[in-house]
């Protein structure tokens, strides 16, 4: 989101120079009323730039219509700084946010909105002016495309970095929780054996009428072992509770949040759900989420400007996942750190599922996975 200071730094100079253009550079004896109306129109051009990011194409149409209205209603002169400069800025902003075929429609719209003005104003029909417009308008459009591509690449790289960072945090948190549970199992087993042997030793000592010097230490060992076992269980519960917030809720119910982050990086993603969504076993739910996440990450890295279709199908004994893109990226999508296609295959194999991944004949890439689910 552009800050108001940045907007003011662009709009204010355009407004001031535009007024200077009307009153001094292009001033004539048209009369104060006509010149005032022209100045208001030029000011409207500057104010319209505030909306160039929210509705860039509408701004182009507004500027073109306003120019034609001025040409028809009042004396119209060539306002280079007052109208052409803001029009070029709006065109670059529209090109920066356009994607795919919309890019060329933006240029066509800009030319179509500007052409009636040239037809109405005789001063704009000279060969030099036409040549200038033929260079300036496509040039502004090309600059906008380059700025938009650079911004999208920056967003994509930031998103990929955030995804990798989150994956690393998830892996560390999961490993710590796993180590804590394994440590609990080992220690609980050994302490349990100590308790059992202590109870047996004390029973044997009582049968042989041993002295209090034997019973006392045995009682202490048993009590300490039981307390240690209980404290160990508390510690593991505490570790699990502390680790839980650090692990992102990676499950299909929270898939929309992942899709929004991917869309924010410039990838068009649509989600289709077939069947009635139902709770899945935690391990299967997590694996299904990770398969979708890895597929979208690969599409973001390799597919370029693509549209992605994500389909989840809930069936009686399985959940099916399809992630299909129409990008023109490499058909051989390399795995990164073991978390790409190889990681997907490991997750699917864990549940005796199936995975098919590869380029499509009509272009793009497809990932199809089926995970068996208990009825």
């Amino acid at each position: 989101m552009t800050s108001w200071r940045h907007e003011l730094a662009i709009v204010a100079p355009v407004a001031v120079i535009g007024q200077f253009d009307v009153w001094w550079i292009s001033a004539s004896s048209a009369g104060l009323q006509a010149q005032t109306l022209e100045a208001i129109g030029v000011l409207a051009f500057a104010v319209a730039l505030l909306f160039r990011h929210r509705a860039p194409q509408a701004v182009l149409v507004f500027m073109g219509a306003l120019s034609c209205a001025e040409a028809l209603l009042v004396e119209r002169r060539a306002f280079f700084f007052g109208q052409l400069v803001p029009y070029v800025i709006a065109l670059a902003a529209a090109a920066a946010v356009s994607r795919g075929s919309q890019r060329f429609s933006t240029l066509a719209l800009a030319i179509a909105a500007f052409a009636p003005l040239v037809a109405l104003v005789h001063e704009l029909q000279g060969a030099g002016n036409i040549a200038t417009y033929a260079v300036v308008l496509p040039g502004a459009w090309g600059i906008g495309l380059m700025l938009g591509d650079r911004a999208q690449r920056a967003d994509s790289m930031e998103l990929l970095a955030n995804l990798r960072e989150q994956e690393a945090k998830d892996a560390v948190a999961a490993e710590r929780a796993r180590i804590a549970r394994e440590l609990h199992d080992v220690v609980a087993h050994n302490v349990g054996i100590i308790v059992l042997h202590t109870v047996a030793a004390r029973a044997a000592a009582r049968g042989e009428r041993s002295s209090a010097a034997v019973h006392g230490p045995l009682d202490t060992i048993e009590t300490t072992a039981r307390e240690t076992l209980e404290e160990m269980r508390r510690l593991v519960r505490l570790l699990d509770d502390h680790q839980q917030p650090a692990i992102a809720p990676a499950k299909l119910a929270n898939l929309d949040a992942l899709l929004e982050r991917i869309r924010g990086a410039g990838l068009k993603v649509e989600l289709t759900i077939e069947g009635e969504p139902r709770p899945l076993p935690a391990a299967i739910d997590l694996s299904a989420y990770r398969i979708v996440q890895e597929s979208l990450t690969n599409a973001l890295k390799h597919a370029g400007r693509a549209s992605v279709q994500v389909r989840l199908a809930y069936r009686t004994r399985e959940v099916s996942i399809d992630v299909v893109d129409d990008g023109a990226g490499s058909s051989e999508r390399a795995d990164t750190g073991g978390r790409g296609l190889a990681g997907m295959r490991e997750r699917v194999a864990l549940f005796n599922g199936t995975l098919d991944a590869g380029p499509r004949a009509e272009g793009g890439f497809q990932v199809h996975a089926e995970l068996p689910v208990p009825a």
Side-chain angles (χ1 to χ4, degrees):
M1 183 64 68
T2 307
S3 66
W4 67 269
R5 291 185 180 88
H6 182 265
E7 293 290 345
L8 186 62
I10 295 177
V11 174
V14 170
V16 173
I17 297 176
Q19 295 303 310
F20 183 78
D21 194 354
V22 172
W23 293 102
W24 284 279
I25 298 178
S26 303
S28 70
S29 58
L32 181 61
Q33 182 179 2
Q35 207 162 359
T36 301
L37 292 176
E38 292 167 351
I40 293 174
V42 168
L43 181 62
F45 264 67
V47 174
L49 288 179
L50 294 173
F51 302 93
R52 69 188 186 280
H53 297 298
R54 299 179 182 178
Q57 295 184 345
V59 170
L60 291 176
V61 174
F62 169 77
M63 288 182 173
L66 182 59
S67 298
C68 292
E70 285 190 342
L72 293 173
L73 299 179
V74 298
E75 180 185 355
R76 173 61 168 80
R77 296 169 305 281
F79 298 130
F80 179 83
F81 295 103
Q83 292 184 344
L84 181 59
V85 170
Y87 191 80
V88 167
I89 295 175
L91 172 56
V97 299
S98 61
R99 298 291 180 265
S101 60
Q102 187 183 18
R103 295 177 157 197
F104 298 98
S105 64
T106 298
L107 179 59
L109 175 63
I111 295 175
F114 192 78
L117 177 63
V118 177
L120 291 173
V121 180
H122 179 73
E123 293 89 339
L124 302 180
Q125 297 174 5
N129 288 334
I130 297 297
T132 300
Y133 307 144
V135 173
V136 170
L137 295 183
W141 176 73
I143 291 174
L145 294 183
M146 288 189 296
L147 293 177
D149 288 343
R150 186 174 66 178
Q152 185 181 9
R153 283 195 297 269
D155 292 341
S156 299
M157 293 301 295
E158 182 180 0
L159 177 60
L160 289 173
N162 291 338
L163 289 175
R164 292 302 178 189
E165 182 180 0
Q166 185 61 44
E167 288 177 359
K169 291 180 179 178
D170 291 349
V172 171
E175 186 66 14
R176 288 177 178 175
R178 184 185 66 81
I179 291 174
R181 285 188 289 270
E182 290 179 352
L183 179 62
H184 165 267
D185 294 341
V186 173
V187 176
H189 174 73
N190 293 338
V191 174
I193 292 177
I194 293 174
V195 172
L196 292 176
H197 281 272
T198 303
V199 172
R202 189 173 59 179
R206 285 176 179 173
E208 297 178 2
R209 296 181 181 179
S210 301
S211 63
V214 175
H215 289 287
L218 291 176
D219 291 340
T220 301
I221 293 174
E222 180 184 358
T223 302
T224 303
R226 291 184 184 276
E227 290 177 354
T228 302
L229 189 59
E230 183 60 29
E231 290 298 325
M232 179 62 65
R233 289 170 180 167
R234 283 199 194 97
L235 177 60
V236 171
R237 286 197 298 268
L238 182 63
L239 286 173
D240 285 340
D241 291 341
H242 282 185
Q243 291 298 330
Q244 190 62 30
I247 303 177
K251 55 184 180 180
L252 294 179
N254 297 329
L255 196 58
D256 288 338
L258 172 65
L259 300 185
E260 285 302 319
R261 294 199 302 271
I262 296 295
R263 292 188 185 107
L267 199 65
K268 295 180 180 179
V269 184
E270 293 184 5
L271 173 63
T272 302
I273 298 179
E274 298 179 2
E276 185 66 25
R278 64 181 187 274
L280 301 175
I284 295 178
D285 200 350
L286 173 61
S287 294
Y289 178 93
R290 293 303 187 197
I291 290 172
V292 175
Q293 183 183 41
E294 290 295 341
S295 300
L296 292 176
T297 300
N298 285 342
L300 188 63
K301 291 166 56 180
H302 302 289
R305 296 184 179 276
S307 297
V308 183
Q309 299 288 335
V310 179
R311 183 176 65 87
L312 298 179
Y314 291 87
R315 301 190 178 95
T316 303
R317 294 187 177 275
E318 68 179 14
V319 58
S320 175
I321 304 165
D322 286 283
V323 182
V324 182
D325 68 66
D326 57 2
S330 172
S331 60
E332 296 182 2
R333 301 193 175 176
D335 299 339
T336 304
R339 291 183 178 273
L341 296 178
M344 295 185 209
R345 292 190 176 94
E346 291 177 1
R347 292 182 184 278
V348 171
L350 184 63
F351 302 100
N352 294 323
T354 59
L355 176 72
D356 293 319
R360 301 190 303 160
E362 59 271 30
F365 200 86
Q366 178 175 6
V367 174
H368 174 77
E370 294 182 358
L371 296 175
V373 179

